[in-house]
């Protein structure tokens, strides 16, 4: 039972998002007693990754969470002393809004399909009061015009991909690379000289390989769908931290293979390296020389202030026009290299972003970016594992009712959990979503618009079908934001074979569907049965789509929170940026405030210097199957502390 938890800790951390997980690892590594808890049943919070059935279950659980009534404080009020006062926590997660789900794939029910390897399931519908009106009937499959919000068959128990045993059921990378080059959904339709049986065989094979919704459900564990879409800069602070702390041994990465641009209604590849520039057929010889000259300047722009001094107040797009660059080059630099906004990015910010892009080239591949296998949700779990190795205690599905504050000193003394146990600590770190509306009454949040798509082919076809791509689509209408598109193939272990997982992200101005639907319609064609019989399609077919808005709590100052004790620190959720720099910087800043002078996530000790003793000091209490009490227990495990960064692969 949870009441067997120790009652004294140095640090209590509530929430398992990326900044909280980094802080947990840093505190545990510095010798502090850490309790890391989360009310959710999975690691990562809004940084998590889910299997397909896990995502549907998350949607259902989120709706149930919104419908629950506030609990009475009478159950724990007697635990508050006369000299103390409580700061209650929010009982409902309000960080996700405007959820809308669309299924375009065929829903032919040939068999009673279940997800491979999943437990016995109960059929239920995912319903949400936040669902808006569907897309126009022209964008819906004929058989489902009357009902776009599909009845899903999902597990009665939440099954996010967190245990490594799931990896046994995922297609091997090499197997994925051997994927048949013929496009599914389409018939190769041979020449006139071919005999009839061959054509029929091709048609039968096409029908057999056609991606249907039951097939997506059946192979749902091959999906690892991120709630937040991010990449790792190869010279970024997160990569440096992973290598320095040796947390990189817990994860594997793939290099993003190409950077794309959207110009004049077409998707094309952007040259990154010097060789790519001079081999590009999209640029003239004059443009190639102009581009190389400008990029060389950007690498050393601080040493040439005269080149940009008069343009500091201008936007980066205006500055590019003064450099006599062609419109083609201006577009590439602005949207595919600097990846900035035309209106809001200053000259200095644009030059800094361009330099950062160029400095990250070549470390692990031809592009500046890495992507973690099995999704972004692996990264918080890696830091949680490091925390556990050094003695941290973990407890999921563990709700916290309130903080207990001493009236005289104004400092927080303890938390009270949903079992009525009082747990004392010196410092408390809380993820923003746990704070009540009273505490956040003066906070002005931003929003992120997100879309997750499952498609049948890449937005830019090449000989290889195992491409990891990033594309920034400039504003299609005035007053809108640019949209970042990340396309993942099956070798990233995030989607099933013969499909692609596409993430769209932008700063919110309306609901997610209103912000992103125009880009989705521009790049993709919703699947219909009639189109499935065509020989060739210009656009990939859209099989399934999810839209939602996510709270962006980055950039909120501590003073914005009302009545926060001095020893309580707040971590923000995901921001809208492409990288993870904000989360790493926030974690390091908070750690230095709590423990000034301590090294932040130092390298692991030499295994030969580790002295093992006290293995029996903390016997495992019976029935604590939801509590992880882990420490360095064997020399075999300690050997894994060597060779930092060996898993950072191309």
């Amino acid at each position: 039972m949870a009441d067997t938890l120790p009652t004294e800790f140095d640090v209590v951390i509530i929430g398992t998002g990326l900044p909280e997980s980094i802080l947990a690892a840093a505190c545990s590594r510095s010798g502090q007693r850490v309790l890391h808890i989360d009310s959710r049943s999975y690691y990562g919070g809004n940084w998590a990754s889910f299997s397909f059935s896990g995502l549907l279950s998350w949607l259902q659980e989120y709706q149930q969470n919104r419908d629950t009534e506030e609990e009475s404080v009478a159950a724990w009020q007697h635990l508050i002393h006369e000299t103390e006062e409580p700061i209650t926590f929010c009982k409902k997660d309000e960080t996700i809004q405007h959820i809308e789900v669309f299924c375009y794939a065929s829903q032919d029910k040939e068999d009673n399909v279940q997800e491979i390897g999943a437990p016995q399931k109960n059929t239920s519908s995912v319903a949400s009061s936040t669902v808006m009106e569907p897309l126009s009937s022209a964008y819906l499959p004929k058989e489902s015009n009357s009902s776009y919000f599909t009845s899903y068959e999902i597990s009665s128990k939440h099954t996010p991909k967190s245990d490594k045993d799931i990896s046994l059921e995922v297609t091997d990378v090499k197997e994925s690379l051997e994927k048949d080059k013929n496009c599914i959904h389409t018939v190769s339709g041979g020449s006139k000289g071919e005999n009839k049986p061959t054509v029929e065989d091709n048609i039968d094979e096409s029908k057999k390989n056609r991606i249907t919704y039951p097939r997506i459900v059946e192979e749902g564990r091959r999906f690892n769908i991120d709630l937040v879409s991010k990449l790792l800069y190869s010279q970024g602070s997160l990569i440096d931290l992973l290598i320095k702390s040796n947390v990189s041994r817990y994860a594997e990465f793939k290099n993003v293979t190409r950077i794309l641009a959207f110009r004049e209604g077409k998707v094309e590849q952007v040259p990154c390296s010097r060789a790519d520039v001079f081999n590009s057929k999209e640029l003239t010889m004059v443009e190639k020389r102009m581009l190389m000259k400008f990029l060389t300047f950007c690498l050393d722009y601080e040493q040439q202030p005269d080149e940009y001094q008069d343009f500091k107040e201008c936007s980066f797009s205006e500055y590019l026009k003064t450099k006599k660059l062609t419109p083609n080059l201006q577009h590439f630099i602005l949207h595919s290299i600097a990846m900035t906004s035309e209106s809001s990015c200053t000259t200095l910010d644009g030059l800094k972003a361009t330099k950062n892009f160029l400095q990250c080239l070549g470390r692990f591949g031809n592009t500046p970016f890495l992507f973690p296998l099995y999704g972004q949700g692996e990264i918080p779990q890696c830091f949680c594992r490091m925390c556990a190795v050094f003695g941290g205690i973990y407890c999921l599905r563990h709700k916290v009712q309130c903080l207990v504050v001493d009236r005289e000193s104004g400092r927080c003394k303890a938390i009270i959990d949903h079992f009525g146990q009082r747990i004392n600590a010196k410092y408390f770190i809380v993820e923003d979503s746990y704070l009540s509306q009273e505490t956040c009454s003066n906070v002005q949040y931003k929003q992120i618009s997100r879309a997750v798509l499952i498609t049948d082919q890449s937005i830019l076809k090449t000989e290889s079908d195992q491409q990891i791509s990033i594309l920034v689509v400039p504003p299609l209408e005035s007053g809108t934001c640019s949209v970042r598109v990340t396309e993942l193939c099956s070798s990233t272990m995030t989607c099933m074979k013969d499909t692609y997982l596409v993430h769209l992200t932008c700063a919110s101005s309306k609901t997610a569907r209103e912000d992103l639907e125009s880009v989705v319609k521009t790049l993709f064609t919703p699947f219909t049965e009639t189109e499935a019989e065509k020989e060739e399609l210009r656009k990939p077919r859209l099989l399934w789509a999810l839209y939602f808005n996510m709270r962006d709590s980055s950039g909120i100052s501590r003073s914005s929170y009302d009545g926060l004790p001095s020893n309580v620190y707040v971590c923000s959720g995901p921001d809208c940026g492409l990288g993870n720099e904000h989360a790493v910087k926030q974690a390091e800043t908070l750690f230095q405030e709590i423990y000034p002078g301590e090294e932040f996530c130092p390298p692991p000790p030499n295994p030969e210097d580790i002295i093992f003793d006290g293995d029996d000091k903390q016997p495992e209490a019976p029935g604590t199957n939801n509590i992880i009490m882990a420490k360095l227990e064997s020399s075999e495990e300690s050997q894994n502390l060597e060779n930092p960064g060996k898993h950072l692969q191309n």
Side-chain angles (χ1 to χ4, degrees):
M1 294 295 292
D3 54 11
T4 61
L5 279 173
T7 58
E8 297 290 337
F9 290 91
D10 295 312
V11 184
V12 171
I13 301 176
I14 305 170
T16 53
L18 182 57
E20 303 96 85
S21 299
I22 294 174
L23 272 166
C27 292
S28 181
R29 177 66 185 87
S30 65
Q32 308 302 320
R33 296 169 299 170
V34 176
L35 173 63
H36 199 179
I37 58 180
D38 199 322
S39 63
R40 304 173 180 92
S41 59
Y42 53 88
Y43 288 94
N46 284 348
W47 302 78
S49 302
F50 295 97
S51 66
F52 189 74
S53 66
L55 182 67
L56 300 182
S57 183
W58 173 79
L59 293 172
Q60 186 180 45
E61 289 181 3
Y62 191 85
Q63 175 60 29
Q64 292 172 350
N65 180 30
R66 291 178 62 91
D67 292 340
T68 57
E69 297 181 359
E70 295 286 343
E71 298 178 13
S72 172
V73 300
W76 50 266
Q77 190 69 45
H78 67 281
L79 297 173
I80 307 297
H81 303 155
E82 292 182 0
T83 60
E84 300 169 344
E85 61 182 1
I87 297 180
T88 57
F89 277 177
C90 182
K91 300 299 186 297
K92 300 177 182 179
D93 187 351
E94 302 289 346
T95 59
I96 306 295
Q97 297 178 344
H98 308 301
I99 299 173
E100 301 179 66
V101 180
F102 299 85
C103 183
Y104 302 97
S106 171
Q107 300 180 43
D108 295 338
K109 297 182 179 179
E110 300 172 358
D111 300 296
N112 186 16
V113 179
Q114 286 192 0
E115 181 182 273
I116 296 175
Q120 186 67 32
K121 299 182 178 185
N122 296 328
T123 304
S124 58
S125 297
V126 177
S128 174
S129 60
T130 59
V131 174
M132 305 284 183
E133 290 296 320
L135 294 169
S136 64
S137 58
Y139 279 85
L140 289 172
K142 289 183 178 180
E143 68 273 18
S144 60
N145 282 349
S146 60
S147 178
Y148 75 99
F149 202 83
T150 311
S151 176
Y152 299 104
E153 180 171 307
I154 60 178
S155 171
S156 59
K157 182 177 180 181
H158 179 70
T159 55
K161 186 262 165 207
S162 59
D163 297 330
K164 288 300 179 184
D165 59 345
I166 295 178
S167 65
L168 298 175
E169 300 168 5
V170 180
T171 305
D172 184 72
V173 178
K174 293 182 180 179
E175 179 184 335
S176 296
L177 291 173
E178 295 172 358
K179 173 183 170 184
D180 182 18
K181 292 183 180 179
N182 292 332
C183 180
I184 61 172
H185 292 310
T186 60
V187 180
S188 56
S191 61
K192 293 181 180 180
E194 291 181 338
N195 55 30
K196 185 174 181 180
T198 303
V199 175
E200 290 178 350
D201 289 344
N202 289 338
I203 294 174
D204 291 341
E205 185 68 20
S206 175
K207 290 182 178 179
K208 182 179 179 181
N209 293 333
R210 184 165 55 89
I211 304 297
T212 62
Y213 182 75
R215 185 179 169 191
I216 293 174
V217 173
E218 180 183 10
E219 301 195 45
R221 289 204 175 189
R222 300 188 188 276
F223 289 88
N224 285 292
I225 302 171
D226 297 327
L227 293 184
V228 60
S229 175
K230 288 185 176 292
L231 298 175
L232 285 72
Y233 282 93
S234 62
Q235 294 278 10
S237 56
L238 182 55
I239 288 292
D240 292 342
L241 181 62
L242 287 166
I243 294 175
K244 172 189 173 184
S245 62
N246 206 16
V247 173
S248 59
R249 72 188 185 275
Y250 295 132
E252 295 181 88
F253 302 83
K254 288 187 72 71
N255 186 243
V256 173
T257 56
R258 60 185 183 177
I259 297 172
L260 306 177
F262 184 80
R263 177 169 168 77
E264 296 178 351
K266 296 189 302 180
V267 177
E268 52 194 47
Q269 188 166 346
V270 176
C272 292
S273 65
R274 183 184 296 269
D276 289 341
V277 170
F278 286 102
N279 289 331
S280 173
K281 297 179 180 180
E282 306 294 335
L283 303 176
T284 66
M285 186 57 65
V286 174
E287 285 180 319
K288 293 175 182 179
R289 291 173 179 169
M290 294 171 66
L291 179 60
M292 289 305 303
K293 181 179 179 181
F294 180 77
L295 296 182
T296 302
F297 156 71
C298 289
L299 278 171
D300 198 31
Y301 77 92
E302 295 100 335
Q303 308 303 321
Q304 305 178 54
D306 294 341
E307 292 287 335
Y308 62 87
Q309 198 71 34
D310 297 335
F311 304 97
K312 283 186 175 181
E313 304 300 324
C314 299
S315 66
F316 188 48
S317 59
E318 292 294 327
Y319 174 71
L320 292 177
K321 294 176 182 177
T322 67
K323 303 301 290 183
K324 299 180 180 179
L325 298 170
T326 64
N328 199 24
L329 292 181
Q330 291 178 38
H331 183 89
F332 280 174
I333 294 170
L334 187 65
H335 297 291
S336 302
I337 296 179
M339 296 186 180
T340 58
S341 169
E342 289 188 30
S343 56
S344 61
C345 180
T346 65
T347 297
L348 283 178
D349 289 340
L351 291 173
K352 183 179 179 180
T354 304
K355 180 179 179 179
N356 182 50
F357 180 98
L358 298 172
Q359 286 180 327
C360 292
L361 287 172
R363 186 177 188 185
F364 299 111
N366 288 332
T367 70
F369 306 112
L370 294 175
F371 181 81
L373 293 185
Y374 302 101
Q376 172 73 27
E378 289 293 294
I379 304 301
Q381 293 187 61
C382 290
F383 284 100
C384 290
R385 187 172 300 174
M386 176 185 174
C387 174
V389 164
F390 286 97
I393 296 179
Y394 278 82
C395 201
L396 299 179
R397 300 180 294 277
H398 201 92
K399 296 181 180 179
V400 177
Q401 302 288 3
C402 69
L403 299 171
V404 180
V405 181
D406 182 69
R407 295 179 188 271
E408 183 178 350
S409 65
R411 291 176 63 85
C412 183
K413 299 170 61 177
I415 61 170
I416 297 177
D417 64 15
H418 64 302
F419 289 109
Q421 183 180 9
R422 181 174 172 133
I423 301 173
N424 303 316
K426 299 174 183 177
Y427 300 99
F428 301 84
I429 298 168
V430 183
E431 201 268 318
D432 174 89
S433 65
Y434 285 85
L435 300 176
S436 65
Q437 293 183 356
E438 292 77 12
T439 305
C440 303
S441 58
N442 297 322
V443 177
Q444 297 293 324
Y445 291 112
K446 296 175 288 185
Q447 295 287 326
I448 303 170
S449 290
R450 290 277 291 114
V452 179
L453 315 177
I454 299 175
T455 65
D456 68 338
Q457 55 190 354
S458 176
I459 52 179
L460 182 62
K461 296 181 183 178
T462 58
E463 293 182 1
S464 171
D465 57 5
Q466 295 300 310
Q467 299 280 3
I468 308 173
S469 311
I470 180 171
L471 164 68
V472 175
V473 179
L476 300 179
E477 301 174 359
S478 60
T480 60
C481 299
S482 58
V483 175
R484 185 174 71 245
V485 181
T486 305
E487 183 183 71
L488 306 173
C489 60
S490 60
S491 65
T492 63
M493 304 303 181
T494 59
C495 58
M496 61 182 280
K497 189 178 179 181
D498 296 335
T499 65
Y500 289 83
L501 188 65
V502 183
H503 293 275
L504 285 77
T505 307
C506 75
S508 297
S509 58
K510 304 174 184 177
T511 67
R513 184 165 69 88
E514 290 172 327
D515 285 336
L516 301 173
E517 189 177 36
S518 59
V519 175
V520 172
K521 289 181 178 180
T522 301
L523 296 177
F524 305 98
T525 300
F527 175 88
T528 63
E529 289 297 323
T530 55
E531 289 173 341
E533 300 175 0
K534 293 183 179 180
E535 291 187 3
E536 192 66 36
L537 288 173
R538 294 183 179 180
K539 299 178 184 179
R541 280 188 293 267
L542 180 59
L543 305 173
W544 186 87
L546 164 67
Y547 297 91
F548 62 92
N549 290 89
M550 176 183 289
R551 177 190 294 176
D552 180 359
S553 55
S554 64
I556 305 297
S557 65
R558 179 185 177 84
S559 59
S560 300
Y561 298 103
D562 186 29
L564 207 61
S566 59
N567 62 334
V568 175
Y569 301 86
V570 180
C571 286
S572 65
D575 63 322
C576 195
L578 174 61
N580 299 273
E581 273 55 42
H582 179 269
V584 176
K585 183 178 180 180
Q586 183 182 50
E588 184 172 7
T589 300
L590 292 181
F591 179 81
Q592 295 299 341
E593 287 183 19
I594 299 172
Y595 297 110
E598 289 280 348
E599 185 177 1
F600 179 66
C601 285
N606 188 328
E608 297 177 359
D609 298 334
I610 297 176
I611 300 175
F612 299 92
D613 94 333
D615 287 342
D616 299 322
K617 285 184 178 179
Q618 279 189 315
E620 183 178 354
T624 55
N625 59 345
N626 63 333
I627 304 173
I628 301 173
M629 302 177 67
K631 51 185 166 180
L632 215 56
E633 293 180 343
S634 67
S635 58
E636 180 181 353
E637 181 176 357
S638 65
Q639 291 294 331
N640 291 331
L641 296 173
E642 298 176 335
N643 302 327
K646 72 176 182 178
H647 289 294
L648 290 172
Q649 302 172 351
N650 288 347

